[in-house]
Amino acid sequence: LKAHGWKEVSAPPYREGDVITWKTYDYTGDGVKDPDTHIGIILKEGGSFKAMNNSSRLRTPRITDIGIAPVTRVLRKE
């Protein structure tokens, strides 16, 4: 995304369309969850911001709270 004009930003505040990554899985096997292992897109639902992301278990997109896991990166098309 960075190669296509997206910038890493400090958030909150979030904006609709931001791409967010979380620390959710331990791919390296060292017992620590690795950064940027889950991705979502920020949207506004009612008066709050949520994230649309894929559920591996359900195999379908879902809308969740942004705080489901530690946020590691927010990218924004400026």
Side-chain angles (χ1 to χ4, degrees):
L1 290 174
K2 287 182 177 181
H4 295 282
W6 290 73
K7 305 271 190 235
E8 191 166 343
V9 297
S10 179
Y14 296 99
R15 290 188 194 163
E16 287 186 282
D18 285 351
V19 173
I20 186 172
T21 63
W22 294 276
K23 193 185 273 196
T24 56
Y25 301 105
D26 174 16
Y27 283 122
T28 58
D30 63 0
V32 178
K33 291 180 180 176
D34 300 310
D36 305 330
T37 53
H38 195 73
I39 189 169
I41 300 170
I42 299 295
L43 55 92
K44 196 163 188 182
E45 184 175 74
S48 62
F49 288 99
K50 301 284 186 173
M52 181 175 54
N53 59 102
N54 187 51
S55 169
S56 300
R57 184 177 50 82
L58 299 175
R59 298 189 166 268
T60 185
R62 63 184 179 152
I63 297 173
T64 60
D65 288 325
I66 294 167
I68 60 169
V71 174
T72 54
R73 193 178 312 263
V74 178
L75 296 167
R76 183 174 292 154
K77 182 73 170 181
E78 299 254 348

